[in-house]
Amino acid sequence: MGIAEYCTTKLSRKKSIAPLFAVFLFLTGSIWSQNTLDSLNGAWKNKALPDSVRADALLEYINEGAFNSAPDSALVLANELCQFTKKINYSTGTVDALDLKGYVLFRSGNYPEALVSYKEGLSLAEEIDYKIGAAEILLKTGYIYHDNEDVINALKNYERSLKIYEEIGDLEGISAIYNEFGSIYFGRGNHEKALDYYLKGIAIHKEMDNEMANSSQYVNIGNVYLDTEEYSKALEYYQKALAIDEKKEDKLGIAASLSGMGIVFYNQGNTEQALDYLERSLKIAKSINDLQGSTSYLLSMSDIYLDQENYSKVIQLTKESLSLAKQVGDLGGQEYSYENLYEAYRGLGKTNEALTYYEEMIAISDSIKSEETAIKLQQMEFSKKAVQDSLIQVEKDTEMRMRHQVEVQEKDKNRNIAIAGALISLILAIGFFIRWRYVRKSRAIIEKEKNRSENLLLNILPAEIAEELKEKGEAAARDFDLVSILFTDFKGFTEKSAELSAAELIGEINHCFKAFDHICEKYGIEKIKTIGDAYMAAGGIPLPSDDAVDQTILAALEMQDYMTQRFTEKESTDGFTFKMRLGIHTGPVVAGIVGVKKFQYDIWGDTVNTASRMESSGAVGQVNISQYTYELVKDNPLFTFTHRGKINAKGKGEVDMWFVEKL
């Protein structure tokens, strides 16, 4: 028996969300009837049979019965099986039981406990040289890391598993690994590589004459064609998968196929049929306690209602998806849910609630970056404290030496007073000199560390905000009426990330962002943050300026000029860089620092969201500005403008946009 993976696609691919992977056991060409399940249960309860036979019967009973229909019962039975196999010293049976227990826990979203079970099972499998058991556990451990976007650890487990499968000639296992590699490439936008691996897995099953095992690959191929907007091909593969899964009565597979078909129908303009299929998927997922699938289907339905401006329905569905995403620790699902809640409350005109969810979305998006900043600050504080402690110790040592000399003087009263006095004076002079030298050195170290701390603070926060933070211990949020927000984004970043090493990719991004930092400094605009390959800056904060809009546009034009020139240079030397989109919108924002730990200067408001839409609706090599920004700068003789007409922007409808260039 093997493992396969469905890569479940949400309705919108534009949001920054970790891919959701639904994993399931599949049958190798046979349909398990209720009579067969009853026979397995009977064999387990028949104490006249050998204990190992009874254990194997219970394992199959859980796999093919309770796992799909009653997950809670499956966990109880898996625990019972673990205890039984340990009691009868059936080691391979214990490995299989721990494997199954971990998988049941994984499907219910309990990742930590699943990893504990897998770790115990893998250790025993390696101890008794049970190769197939070790390979299966490594594969499923990879699922957990894969599902949490830790691709490095996922690949480590997949590669170890593949090595064992190849060693023992397990074609089914090799096909399962190919499916995982395909999903990794799909998650990074490399459709060609994803299809290649999916088709390799299908070829193996055809060689084994096992068409029933291909349902997961068919769904995943359907997802690829859905992503490339080849809807007829996507529907063809979803229907192939559905036919197989209905024969196998595999509820996980059926739900995944129906969901994919529903999204195809929506993209073809059939909203009613799309919602029907997604609701059927959700109903199945809930019946088998599939929290991951439920989260995905709820968000897909939420997207449809959001596009229809049915905001009350969006709020109902998205709050449910948010609750499930929190249960399984899915940060991507939480971010996606918070964004939809923000859009819905904004659509209803409830700005306070909208801002709350927007802040939650940004907090999750920036959590890793904030954590790194906090660690650096903590290290600096520790260093500063260590220096202070060292200075205190120096003073204590000097005082001790002085007291000792006084005691020596009292004991040696009969000695020559002149010699003793001279000796004491010399010792005191030396002691004071040592104390003075240590104090001066320690104070210099403290001053150096203080300067380093202040420089780091100024690198994180604007000078005015940093000064307020030092004086008061906090910095109040402020309203600004006119701020120009600039967003950039690199075209083809996802594809390049799949082709290049991390060092090459990060090196090029860092080179470009350093140049952007210097440009921002030149034009007096404030860098806010970077999010992946996106760069965000703002003109007119924290100090309002009459020419902030003009300066922001000048900075944007220079950024585009820099990227165009760098692309030309790299192209002539067979190097690589990116082409870039850039968008600007101007309006009111709230700016400040939230909380007292892991702080970061940030801005909030609908202006930020609109600026992001200007970027995503822009064109490579151009600076795209909103109608309102155009009205503010249209009379500036430095600029020339091209009206683009009304462009559809997500969540905004059709809005006027302009390309701006420098004369």
Side-chain angles (χ1 to χ4, degrees), residues 409 412-425:
Q409 185 181 22
D412 295 338
K413 286 181 180 179
N414 296 327
R415 296 183 61 183
N416 188 290
I417 295 175
I419 296 174
L423 182 62
I424 291 171
S425 297

Side-chain angles (χ1 to χ4, degrees), residues 178-318:
Y178 285 164
N179 199 29
E180 302 315 308
F181 289 166
S183 294
I184 288 175
Y185 277 113
F186 175 71
R188 274 143 188 78
N190 192 330
H191 300 118
E192 184 179 349
K193 282 280 191 181
L195 281 174
D196 181 50
Y197 274 106
Y198 291 147
L199 292 171
K200 282 181 180 178
I202 289 173
I204 289 175
H205 289 147
K206 288 184 177 179
E207 181 183 340
M208 298 170 62
D209 194 25
N210 186 14
E211 172 67 9
M212 295 291 282
N214 280 330
S215 57
S216 63
Q217 280 93 339
Y218 286 151
V219 168
N220 289 341
I221 290 174
N223 290 339
V224 172
Y225 285 126
L226 175 62
D227 210 40
T228 57
E229 299 182 0
E230 297 176 75
Y231 300 129
S232 59
K233 287 185 178 180
L235 196 58
E236 174 189 344
Y237 278 95
Y238 288 140
Q239 289 170 339
K240 282 185 178 182
L242 182 61
I244 293 173
D245 288 325
E246 285 179 337
K247 286 182 181 178
K248 295 190 300 186
E249 298 181 359
D250 190 316
K251 293 184 178 180
L252 277 171
I254 293 170
S257 299
L258 291 173
S259 170
M261 293 168 69
I263 297 173
V264 169
F265 291 138
Y266 181 71
N267 282 283
Q268 292 177 330
N270 193 336
T271 302
E272 185 177 348
Q273 194 170 9
L275 287 171
D276 176 58
Y277 273 67
L278 286 167
E279 285 169 357
R280 288 165 63 186
S281 297
L282 179 62
K283 184 177 180 180
I284 293 171
K286 288 183 175 181
S287 73
I288 57 176
N289 199 33
D290 177 15
L291 302 185
Q292 296 166 307
S294 297
T295 303
S296 175
Y297 308 144
L298 284 164
L299 286 171
S300 294
M301 294 166 65
S302 170
D303 276 339
I304 294 176
Y305 285 115
L306 186 61
D307 285 346
Q308 294 181 330
E309 300 184 0
N310 187 343
Y311 299 125
S312 60
K313 193 67 175 179
V314 173
I315 292 169
Q316 173 197 335
L317 294 171
T318 311

Side-chain angles (χ1 to χ4, degrees), residues 516-535:
F516 292 177
D517 289 346
H518 290 310
I519 292 170
C520 286
E521 187 175 4
K522 173 181 175 181
Y523 289 99
I525 67 175
E526 190 72 33
K527 174 184 177 181
I528 302 300
K529 60 187 170 184
T530 61
I531 307 170
D533 64 319
Y535 188 98

Side-chain angles (χ1 to χ4, degrees), residues 122 157 173-174 179 205 239 300 361 435-436 507 546 620:
L122 180 60
N157 283 277
I174 294 171
N179 199 29
H205 289 147
Q239 289 170 339
S300 294
M361 181 187 71
R435 180 179 184 275
W436 172 79
D546 293 338
V620 167

Side-chain angles (χ1 to χ4, degrees), residues 96 110 117 204 294 322 476 504 526 560 612 616 648:
D96 292 337
N110 192 339
S117 186
I204 289 175
S294 297
L322 178 61
E504 291 174 314
E526 190 72 33
Q560 279 290 21
S612 176
S616 61
N648 187 50

Side-chain angles (χ1 to χ4, degrees), residues 359-474:
E359 289 172 350
E360 293 286 357
M361 181 187 71
I362 295 300
I364 290 178
S365 176
D366 293 346
S367 61
I368 295 176
K369 180 180 176 183
S370 299
E371 186 67 30
E372 289 174 350
T373 302
I375 290 171
K376 289 179 181 178
L377 290 172
Q378 289 168 4
Q379 289 173 339
M380 292 179 60
E381 286 298 317
F382 177 80
S383 175
K384 180 178 177 181
K385 181 68 165 56
V387 171
Q388 291 173 332
D389 291 344
S390 175
L391 178 58
I392 293 171
Q393 189 60 45
V394 168
E395 293 175 344
K396 288 182 178 179
D397 291 344
T398 304
E399 290 174 2
M400 184 179 295
R401 283 195 295 271
M402 292 174 66
R403 286 198 301 269
H404 178 68
Q405 295 307 324
V406 172
E407 292 174 2
V408 171
Q409 185 181 22
E410 289 296 326
K411 290 180 180 179
D412 295 338
K413 286 181 180 179
N414 296 327
R415 296 183 61 183
N416 188 290
I417 295 175
I419 296 174
L423 182 62
I424 291 171
S425 297
L426 178 61
I427 292 172
L428 288 173
I430 293 171
F432 279 117
F433 173 74
I434 292 172
R435 180 179 184 275
W436 172 79
R437 186 175 64 180
Y438 274 118
V439 168
R440 188 178 69 169
K441 183 177 180 180
S442 298
R443 285 176 177 169
I445 293 172
I446 290 174
E447 186 66 25
K448 181 179 178 181
E449 290 300 318
K450 178 183 177 183
N451 291 337
R452 286 178 60 192
S453 298
E454 290 189 354
N455 287 337
L456 178 60
L457 193 62
L458 290 173
N459 196 35
I460 297 172
L461 304 174
E464 295 78 7
I465 303 302
E467 193 62 34
E468 183 180 351
L469 190 65
K470 287 191 294 182
E471 289 180 3
K472 302 179 181 178
E474 61 180 5

